[in-house]
Amino acid sequence: MHTAQHQHIATVMQVAQRGVEAALAARHEQVIRDSWLRCVQQHRLDPTRMQEAVILPQQRLREHQDQMEAFLHIARHGLEALYQQVAGMGYVVLLTDARGVTVDFLGDLVVEPSLRRAGLYLGADWSEHHAGTCGVGTCISTGQALTVHLDDHFDATHIPLTCTAAPVFSPSGELSAVLDISALTSDQPKSSQHLALQLVKVYAQHVENAQFLQRFRHDWVLRLSPAPQFLDVNPDYLVALDAGGRLIGHNRRAQLLLQGLPALQGQALIGQPLGAWLEARPDDLGRFVAARPVDQRAVMLAGGARLLFMLASPPPAVLPRAAATPGPAQRRLPAALAALSGGDARLDRQLERAARLVNSPVSLLLTGETGSGKEFFAKALHAASERRGRPFVAVNCAAIPEGLIESELFGHLPGSFTGAGPRAKRGLIQAADGGTLFLDEIGDMPRSLQARLLRVLAEREVLPIGASRPVPVDIRVIAATHCALEALVREGRFRDDLYYRLNGALFQLPPLRERADLGVMIDRLLAAPRAPGAAPAAAAAERPPALSAEARALLLAHRWPGNLRELANALAYARSVCSDGLIQPADLPDALLAEAAATTAPPQAPGRPAWPGPALPTQAHNEADLLRQALRAAHWNVSALARQWGCSRMTLYRRMARWGVKSPNARDGEPPVTPAL
C-alpha cells in the first residue's frame, strides 16, 4: 500500500467517524462525501479493506444480458458513436444494467489485462454496495450524471481511475441502465473531465430517446422543445399518449418537467389526461403535425407555466397492435432459420435471437469451428429478411490472394493499377448493394484493408481503386471467423475499432459433436437432393438411401472435426458408392473407418476441439501434432486432406506456415508443401 492510499483511507475514515463535514474531505463534492458515508453506514464497507474488481462468470453475465437484450441492440449504436468520440484518448465505454453489472463494453483490447484487473470490462459489478463510491454505483444511487475522479473513489484500489457516468431511464421513469466512460489513469484535475461528462449525458439521452421511440412506435408521440429550430430533429421532451389522450410514457427530461408543474406535484404521471399538463385537448393534436409550419405549433403548459413548440406524430394506420407486434408466444422462427436445427437447445437459442435481428441494421459476427455452418446461418438470415430479393454475396477473405483482395472487394477504374483491365470492375461490396455481404474468415483480412472496410461500415460508401468519389451502398454485413478475433486484436493483427463495428451481435455456433440433433441432421442431409452435377431428372427421381444401424452408429460416434461440411461430404460419398439403396459401414469414407478402428490412438483431452476448430495460442503444439499426423496419413497430399476435412487448401497452408509444419520432401528454401494437383 503506497502513501496516497494510506492518506485516502484516513480521509474516508474521518468521514465515517465525523460525518460529511470532516475537514480532510472538504475538497470533495457533497455527492462524493454522501456516498462515502452511505458506503460505511448502509453498505457496511470497510475503507481499510482494498479489494479487486468483481467480475461475474460468463454464465451469470449472459443472464444479465438476456434480461435486456432488446435494449442492448438499441443502445449499441450509441455506444459505438460515443467510443468514436473518445477512442485514442485512453477511455473505455461501459454500459451497465440497473444493478451495476457491465453488460456491454468498448475499449482497447491491447491493454485488456489491465482493463480486466481494474474492472473496466464485461461482467464487472460496479454497484455501490460492492465497489463503493464509483461512477456507475453512485450514479445508480443518486440518479444523477457525475464524475468520480481518482481519490473520489471509496476503495483505495480504484483511486487511479477516472469514471464519468450518466443514467438511462425507462419510459416509465425507472433507471434501466448506466452509460459510463472511464480511463485507467489521469494526471489532470477533475475539471478536465467536464467534456467527458457532457458527452456521456448527450449519448445517454440519445439511447434513452431511441428506446422510447422504439417502444411507442404504435402510439401518439409528442415531441416538445422550448425553441422551434431543433424541434423536429432533437427535441428536449418526449411524451407518449394512448388513443384516449392519456399519458403512457415519457423520457427523463419530460418527467422532470411535468413533475415540476404545481398541478401534478406528488402525483403519478402515467395515466394523466392530456389536459392535466398541456393547454390542449386530444382533438387538437392534428394542429401540431409535421405538415404545419413549426412556428405555428406553439402550445402552453398547463397553467401558462411555459411556452413550448410541439410536433405530434400519430400512430401508423396499419394493422392492430396485436397483429403487428406478436408476443414471444406468437412469434415463430422464419422457415429458413428453423431449417438449421433439428432440436439442439443451444443452437435453438441462437436462432431465436437471430430471428429478432433479421432486419436490424447492426452488423453480425458468427463464430464457430470450420464447417459448423456459418455461411448457412448467414444465408438463412438473408433469406428471412426483407433483403431476400437482393444479392447475397459471400467473400472468403482467406481464399483471395492478398494482392487481389483490395480490387475484388472495392472494385477499380480502368488502368488504375498495374494489371488492371481496360474496363472498370465493380467490386464485391457494390455487388451486394441492397442485400447482404458475408465476409467469411474475416480474421484473415490484411490489416492494410481493415481501415477501408471500417469506412464502408461507418459511412456506408465504397471508394473503388483509382476513384475520387465514393459510391453509396446499402448493405447488411455479416462476418464470420473460426479464430478468436480478440486474440488477434491483442496481437495487433486486427483493428479493435473494426472488431467492435462487426460485433454488433455475436452468434457462437456449436460444433457438430456437441449438438443433440446429429441424428436429425444425418437424416436431413441424406434426404436432400444430390449435390450439384447430377442430372436434374435423375436427382428428382432418386430416392434417398437408407442407413444400416451399424453405419448410423459409426456416424454418431465420429467426432466430425470438419463439422457439417465433413458430414455432408461423407454422406455424399456413401450414397454414391452404396448398393441396393442401403449404406453399410464399408460405404463410409476410409478416414472415418480408420478412426473407428484405431483403438490404440491416445484419446483427445475432454472438451478440446479437434483441428480445424478454433486454435487458441496455448494449444498450438497440440494442433500442430494433429495436422502433422493427418498429413502423414494423406501422404502429404494437401488437396486430399482439404477435401476430407471440408476446408480450403489455403486454410491448410496458412495453418502449416503458422505452426511450422513442413513436408519431409521439401528442400531448404522451398515452400513447406507443394500443392497436389
Side-chain angles (χ1 to χ4, degrees):
M1 187 183 301
H2 53 71
T3 304
Q5 291 174 322
H6 277 295
Q7 294 173 345
H8 175 70
I9 290 172
T11 302
V12 178
M13 288 290 292
Q14 189 178 90
V15 170
Q17 295 165 0
R18 303 181 186 177
V20 295
E21 302 303 325
L24 288 178
R27 66 183 180 85
H28 295 276
E29 296 171 335
Q30 182 74 36
V31 67
I32 300 298
R33 288 177 281 154
D34 288 343
S35 175
W36 287 357
L37 203 59
R38 195 163 51 243
C39 290
V40 174
Q41 295 180 349
Q42 296 182 22
H43 307 320
R44 302 296 181 185
L45 297 180
D46 182 356
T48 66
R49 183 186 175 194
M50 298 171 58
Q51 58 181 8
E52 297 294 330
V54 177
I55 306 289
L56 271 59
Q58 184 65 33
Q59 181 58 38
R60 288 189 58 197
L61 168 62
R62 186 72 250 177
E63 292 172 1
H64 283 260
Q65 291 173 324
D66 287 346
Q67 291 172 9
M68 55 188 309
E69 184 174 25
F71 174 81
L72 287 177
H73 293 312
I74 294 172
R76 181 69 187 198
H77 178 74
L79 266 69
E80 291 176 349
L82 176 56
Y83 185 63
Q84 287 180 351
Q85 300 292 326
V86 299
M89 300 170 63
Y91 289 105
V92 298
V93 176
L94 307 176
L95 184 74
T96 80
D97 62 12
R99 287 173 282 183
V101 174
T102 306
V103 291
D104 206 350
F105 157 87
L106 293 177
D108 186 354
L109 291 184
V110 173
V111 293
E112 178 196 7
S114 299
L115 295 174
R116 187 177 180 87
R117 282 194 301 272
L120 304 182
Y121 203 71
L122 271 177
D125 187 341
W126 283 106
S127 58
E128 198 177 65
H129 65 275
H130 275 153
T133 305
C134 59
V136 169
T138 308
C139 177
I140 292 173
S141 295
T142 63
Q144 301 175 15
L146 79 165
T147 295
V148 177
H149 189 66
L150 304 182
D151 61 355
D152 283 340
H153 289 87
F154 179 86
D155 193 318
T157 307
H158 305 317
I159 61 176
L161 306 179
T162 180
C163 308
T164 299
V168 179
F169 288 90
S170 74
S172 53
E174 294 89 14
L175 184 82
S176 58
V178 172
L179 185 61
D180 174 279
I181 55 176
S182 296
L184 287 169
T185 185
S186 173
D187 57 1
Q188 300 295 317
K190 187 171 184 175
S191 59
S192 66
Q193 303 304 309
H194 179 73
L195 180 58
L197 181 60
Q198 300 311 310
L199 275 175
V200 78
K201 287 165 67 175
V202 166
Y203 281 96
Q205 184 184 4
H206 288 341
V207 171
E208 183 179 296
N209 289 351
Q211 178 192 22
F212 176 95
L213 294 173
Q214 171 67 16
R215 177 168 174 179
F216 296 110
R217 62 192 183 278
H218 297 290
D219 300 291
W220 277 96
V221 172
L222 309 184
R223 296 167 170 85
L224 301 106
S225 286
Q229 289 79 10
F230 292 95
L231 171 63
D232 294 356
V233 294
N234 189 25
D236 289 89
Y237 313 111
L238 294 176
V239 175
L241 306 177
D242 63 14
R246 290 178 295 273
L247 192 151
I248 55 175
H250 47 69
N251 68 353
R252 178 63 170 174
R253 288 189 176 184
Q255 178 184 3
L256 297 177
L257 174 72
L258 299 185
Q259 285 176 338
L261 295 177
L264 295 181
Q265 286 183 358
Q267 298 187 38
L269 296 181
I270 302 299
Q272 292 287 346
L274 180 62
W277 58 275
L278 197 69
E279 292 188 352
R281 299 172 302 170
D283 292 343
D284 298 330
L285 293 179
R287 297 193 295 107
F288 299 94
V289 296
R292 293 178 62 87
V294 67
D295 59 347
Q296 297 180 21
R297 291 190 254 130
V299 65
M300 292 292 295
L301 288 177
R306 190 174 183 184
L307 178 70
L308 297 175
F309 293 86
M310 185 167 75
L311 169 64
S313 302
V318 289
L319 296 174
R321 179 181 299 201
T325 55
Q330 298 172 280
R331 186 183 293 117
R332 294 183 179 179
L333 283 180
L337 288 171
L340 297 179
S341 173
D344 179 73
R346 181 176 165 190
L347 181 58
D348 288 344
R349 286 193 296 271
Q350 301 283 40
L351 295 174
E352 289 168 4
R353 291 179 57 224
R356 296 194 289 270
L357 295 172
V358 290
N359 291 311
S360 170
V362 300
S363 299
L364 308 181
L365 179 61
L366 314 181
T367 65
E369 296 180 8
T370 297
S372 56
K374 297 185 288 294
E375 184 167 350
F376 284 109
F377 197 98
K379 286 182 176 178
L381 279 164
H382 176 77
S385 76
E386 295 301 319
R387 296 178 181 267
R388 56 184 170 270
R390 304 294 294 169
F392 177 91
V393 177
V395 180
N396 189 320
C397 300
I400 303 176
E402 186 169 338
L404 296 178
I405 189 169
E406 183 175 19
S407 62
E408 289 292 317
L409 276 177
F410 299 95
H412 61 79
L413 297 186
S416 54
F417 60 91
T418 302
R423 298 187 192 176
K425 179 179 179 180
R426 194 178 187 214
L428 294 172
I429 295 175
Q430 279 185 268
D433 189 28
T436 300
L437 178 68
F438 176 60
L439 298 172
D440 199 6
E441 302 296 356
I442 187 65
D444 288 307
M445 173 171 282
R447 186 174 171 86
S448 59
L449 293 186
Q450 292 173 20
R452 295 199 63 187
L453 178 60
L454 179 65
R455 177 176 178 179
V456 172
L457 298 178
E459 307 296 336
R460 298 294 164 174
E461 59 186 26
V462 60
L463 184 67
I465 299 174
S468 58
R469 291 186 179 180
V471 179
V473 288
D474 172 25
I475 54 174
R476 171 75 176 284
V477 176
I478 303 175
T481 182
H482 73 273
C483 59
L485 284 186
E486 299 95 330
L488 297 184
V489 170
R490 288 192 293 272
E491 295 167 12
R493 295 162 52 197
F494 200 86
R495 293 178 62 106
D496 59 345
D497 46 7
L498 178 58
Y499 169 74
Y500 292 126
R501 178 68 68 171
L502 292 170
N503 190 13
L506 176 66
F507 293 89
Q508 297 174 309
L509 305 189
L512 187 57
R513 64 183 171 277
E514 296 179 5
R515 288 175 54 169
D517 61 347
L518 174 56
V520 176
M521 299 312 296
I522 290 172
D523 294 335
R524 285 185 181 177
L525 288 172
L526 273 179
R530 186 181 287 269
E542 180 187 30
R543 296 181 59 186
L547 265 178
S548 69
E550 296 83 359
R552 177 177 287 273
L554 288 173
L555 292 172
L556 292 174
H558 186 54
R559 286 186 58 80
W560 302 110
N563 292 290
L564 287 168
R565 190 181 295 126
E566 184 188 2
L567 174 60
N569 290 343
L571 293 176
Y573 173 84
R575 73 189 296 172
S576 297
V577 302
C578 70
S579 302
D580 302 323
L582 180 65
I583 295 176
Q584 299 284 3
D587 301 320
L588 298 176
D590 293 342
L592 194 149
L593 296 175
E595 181 189 283
T599 57
T600 59
Q604 186 173 336
R608 174 171 292 162
W611 201 92
L616 303 176
T618 55
Q619 296 176 243
H621 63 285
N622 297 318
E623 305 292 354
D625 291 342
L626 283 170
L627 178 57
R628 193 175 287 109
Q629 291 170 14
L631 283 166
R632 287 195 195 105
H635 306 290
W636 296 92
N637 187 322
V638 176
S639 296
L641 183 60
R643 286 193 297 271
Q644 177 184 331
W645 276 357
C647 63
S648 70
R649 289 186 302 166
M650 185 67 69
T651 299
L652 282 180
Y653 289 139
R654 290 179 189 273
R655 299 301 177 273
M656 292 171 70
R658 180 178 300 174
W659 296 323
V661 176
K662 296 184 178 181
S663 167
N665 302 320
R667 296 190 298 246
D668 290 342
E670 290 184 345
V673 175
T674 301
L677 300 177

